[in-house]
Amino acid sequence: MYEKIKETASWIRERMTTSPQTAIVLGTGLGQLATEITDTYEFPYSEIPNMPVSTVEGHSGKLIFGKLGGKDIMAMQGRFHFYEGYTMKEVTFPVRVMYELGIKTLFVSNAAGGMNPSFKIGDLMIIDDHINFFPEHPLHGKNFPTGPRFPDMHETYDHKLIELADKIAEEKGIRVVHGVYMGVQGPTFETPAEYRMYHLLGGDAVGMSTVPEVIVAHHCGIKTFGISIITDLGGFDDPVEVSHEEVQVAANAAQPIMTEIMREMIKRS
């Protein structure tokens, strides 16, 4: 796997005309942020050696390079999920490639179900921490030479980036909430009982991504900032049915304010 990572990074590096140190992973329904990137050039996943291909609606499946907030960046428009049948090594393959390309900071976004009674649909939740509820760990197996066998996880999400996001949100009058993201396998949405259980365990929002990518980024020494768009609510007295299409609609509606925060963070960081 490590040789494939290096092969893929080499293929991309030979075609790069910029030198990004910041990368963004755009989650379900959040791909429109890519329209904010200027001076772009891109590579469909299908053209990149060894790269998995996203199979989920709302995930375009391409690697974009350009500028955002005046800085060189790279963005994944479409990610890979464990529920698609990929192994954790495949899910986190792009993050390993990012490290080889010199990425120092990773911004991850996702659509998530809110379990905190104070949350509203459309809220932006800054991820303070996560709970890994996936059945397979992304660092399982032989240790990659990018980090220690037993990485410390006390500051998985960079405190300075979180403080910067709060400052920008306050300046711009944008409502943000904070919470713990619960990462689960999927692909089913949660039952009311599962929502209540995850909340009792300490989760404020639940989703099917992000955690594996963040763990691997942390293992590589990449600073990480995560944000969830709360696209549905669960576990309360009145059960609410949810569909993937509704999640996409809610995510799309909240994109402009998420984009504003991320653009400004990249500009200042």
Side-chain angles (χ1 to χ4, degrees), residues 84-155:
E84 293 177 80
Y86 293 118
T87 66
M88 279 298 182
K89 293 287 191 294
E90 291 170 322
V91 168
T92 57
F93 184 86
V95 178
R96 296 286 186 191
V97 172
M98 288 175 185
Y99 171 79
E100 296 295 328
L101 293 175
I103 294 300
K104 307 294 183 187
T105 305
L106 177 65
F107 290 78
V108 292
S109 64
N110 60 60
M115 303 175 290
N116 188 314
S118 68
F119 288 1
K120 304 172 185 175
I121 290 178
D123 273 348
L124 298 182
M125 186 191 86
I126 294 171
I127 303 175
D128 291 328
D129 204 349
H130 71 229
I131 298 173
N132 182 14
F133 226 70
F134 284 91
E136 180 185 328
H137 198 283
L139 300 183
H140 180 257
K142 185 178 179 181
N143 188 47
F144 281 77
T146 55
R149 171 75 283 186
F150 305 105
D152 179 84
M153 300 295 287
H154 273 89
E155 191 179 338

Side-chain angles (χ1 to χ4, degrees), residues 24 26 30-42 62 64-75 77 172 252 254-264 266:
I24 307 171
L26 301 172
L30 305 176
Q32 287 183 18
L33 186 146
T35 61
E36 298 284 329
I37 303 170
T38 61
D39 306 308
T40 60
Y41 59 99
E42 58 190 45
K62 57 187 175 182
I64 303 171
F65 291 82
K67 288 186 180 294
L68 186 67
K71 301 281 183 69
D72 286 348
I73 62 106
M74 67 181 292
Q77 192 172 16
K172 295 182 177 293
N252 281 328
Q255 279 193 82
I257 53 174
M258 185 196 73
T259 300
E260 196 168 353
I261 290 175
M262 282 199 174
R263 186 200 306 114
E264 194 64 25
I266 291 169

Side-chain angles (χ1 to χ4, degrees), residues 19-20 80 90 117 129 152 159 176 190 209 215 238 242 252 269:
S19 302
F80 312 113
E90 291 170 322
D129 204 349
D152 179 84
H159 291 175
V176 293
E190 288 67 40
S209 66
I215 289 173
D238 297 321
V242 62
N252 281 328
S269 60

Side-chain angles (χ1 to χ4, degrees), residues 221-232:
I222 297 172
K223 293 189 298 182
T224 305
F225 173 81
I227 193 164
S228 298
I229 293 180
I230 303 302
T231 53
D232 58 281

Side-chain angles (χ1 to χ4, degrees), residues 173-250:
I174 297 172
R175 169 184 161 90
V176 293
V177 295
H178 284 248
V180 174
Y181 179 87
M182 175 78 73
V184 299
Q185 174 177 322
T188 52
F189 289 110
E190 288 67 40
T191 67
E194 287 169 341
Y195 273 123
R196 291 192 293 271
M197 177 187 73
Y198 292 149
H199 187 47
L200 284 171
L201 290 174
D204 294 290
V206 60
M208 306 168 195
S209 66
T210 300
V211 170
E213 298 154 339
V214 170
I215 289 173
V216 167
H218 192 69
H219 183 254
C220 293
I222 297 172
K223 293 189 298 182
T224 305
F225 173 81
I227 193 164
S228 298
I229 293 180
I230 303 302
T231 53
D232 58 281
L233 301 170
F236 308 129
D237 291 336
D238 297 321
V240 180
E241 292 186 11
V242 62
S243 70
H244 184 66
E245 290 73 25
E246 289 171 322
V247 166
Q248 286 182 286
V249 168

